[in-house]
Amino acid sequence: MTLKQKMENQLEAKLNQWQTEIEKAEAEAKAAEAKAKAEHAEAEARSAAWGKVEDLKKQVEKGEQQLARLRQATAENWDSLKDQVSRLVA
């Protein structure tokens, strides 16, 4: 085998090694990407759930305020309160 052939063989072997490393790195990158997407989706779901909790807490607070007003309602402000409470519980 000539030196040229030996070098060609070495270079071909190195290219094959690099190609194998590329394929392994691509597989690892795809796995990491899938994991990141799953974690992102999970984080979005958690965020949406907590957002709903906050919205419900605001509704409860508003309802408690309306209940307090309703309990103190007079004949003069009854109609206004009645409409507000109707919208709130609808």
Side-chain angles (χ1 to χ4, degrees), residues 1 3-19:
M1 179 182 300
L3 179 59
K4 180 182 178 241
Q5 289 172 329
K6 185 178 180 181
M7 292 182 85
E8 285 176 6
N9 290 342
Q10 287 175 337
L11 185 52
E12 285 177 357
K14 191 55 136 174
L15 289 171
N16 288 335
Q17 176 190 347
W18 288 337
Q19 188 61 39

Side-chain angles (χ1 to χ4, degrees), residues 18-71:
W18 288 337
Q19 188 61 39
T20 300
E21 290 176 14
I22 287 171
E23 291 168 2
K24 181 181 176 187
E26 284 177 340
E28 290 172 353
K30 286 179 183 177
E33 183 178 35
K35 181 180 177 184
K37 284 181 181 178
E39 288 172 352
H40 180 71
E42 185 178 321
E44 283 184 343
R46 267 194 309 268
S47 178
W50 282 111
K52 185 174 181 176
V53 168
E54 289 302 314
D55 290 346
L56 289 169
K57 285 181 177 181
K58 288 176 185 175
Q59 271 186 303
V60 166
E61 183 179 333
K62 190 183 284 188
E64 288 172 343
Q65 291 171 355
Q66 288 293 61
L67 181 58
R69 288 185 191 120
L70 188 59
R71 286 180 174 155

Side-chain angles (χ1 to χ4, degrees), residues 66 80-90:
Q66 288 293 61
S80 172
L81 285 172
K82 180 176 67 173
D83 291 341
Q84 292 175 15
V85 171
S86 293
R87 281 193 303 268
L88 187 65
V89 297

